[in-house]
Amino acid sequence: SHRYLADCSDILEDSTLGQKYFLDANHKYIGQQLLQEGFDKNEIYVAIDEQGTCVGFAWVILNGIFHWFPFLHVLAVKKAVRGNGVGKQLMRAFEEIGFVQDKSDKIFLCVDDFSREAIGLYKALDYQEIGPIPDMYIPGVVTYLMMKAKE
């Protein structure tokens, strides 16, 4: 629901991902405008705690890789609750959504070399590294394409 747009934007802005990728040419944060697109397309899945507070989100583009396979575009968890399983829950939701379609026996994501915690999570969940893409978005940063096949 769009009612979590501002919360998701704040979570993203307070992350390394948000500070590296969701800035305009003047280094101004533009995540909320970009997240609006995901909400408009119903591609953003929000994690809510017992109090009804947004604690993270996953932006899933169903045909985001090669216009066929589901792609995890963004995963962000509120700093205060990191390490408490929110990311894992969002990844399980991504897998449920991604593997539902008949055609999707594989799902994909990209992760940067500086995101050690995320890489650890994805490997623990059986995502395989397909290959490195040097300088994909940021010079000097290696982005890894990762995939999980349906069991």
Side-chain angles (χ1 to χ4, degrees):
S1 152
H2 280 69
R3 71 187 197 143
Y4 295 110
L5 174 61
D7 292 336
C8 290
S9 177
D10 290 346
I11 290 168
L12 184 60
E13 186 174 14
D14 195 30
S15 72
T16 304
L17 191 68
Q19 289 303 313
K20 286 188 181 285
Y21 291 112
F22 291 84
L23 303 177
D24 65 13
N26 298 316
H27 303 287
K28 183 178 179 293
Y29 176 71
I30 55 168
Q32 187 155 335
Q33 298 94 294
L34 298 172
L35 287 169
Q36 180 72 52
E37 175 190 341
F39 274 99
D40 289 347
K41 293 179 176 181
N42 295 313
E43 294 175 339
I44 295 183
Y45 300 84
V46 179
I48 307 297
D49 68 10
E50 297 81 25
Q51 290 76 39
T53 304
C54 174
V55 292
F57 69 92
W59 185 343
V60 177
I61 303 173
L62 283 179
N63 60 353
I65 291 280
F66 312 119
H67 203 69
W68 187 269
F69 298 102
F71 178 66
L72 179 67
H73 181 47
V74 178
L75 176 83
V77 175
K78 193 173 190 173
K79 269 190 180 154
V81 299
R82 287 185 192 156
N84 293 338
V86 175
K88 192 177 285 185
Q89 287 179 314
L90 286 165
M91 289 303 295
R92 293 210 195 295
F94 168 51
E95 292 175 13
E96 286 176 25
I97 295 158
F99 287 137
V100 156
Q101 303 173 313
D102 291 338
K103 68 180 182 180
S104 60
D105 60 340
K106 297 173 188 73
I107 55 178
F108 292 84
L109 58 84
C110 285
V111 62
D112 290 327
D113 58 6
F114 58 78
S115 297
R116 304 317 296 156
E117 294 87 1
I119 291 169
L121 172 64
Y122 302 147
K123 287 186 174 179
L125 295 175
D126 297 324
Y127 284 77
Q128 306 299 314
E129 182 186 314
I130 300 304
I133 308 168
D135 309 314
M136 182 163 143
Y137 294 112
I138 300 173
V141 173
V142 176
T143 301
Y144 296 96
L145 178 62
M146 297 186 83
M147 180 191 83
K148 184 170 185 175
K150 195 180 226 175
E151 295 172 5

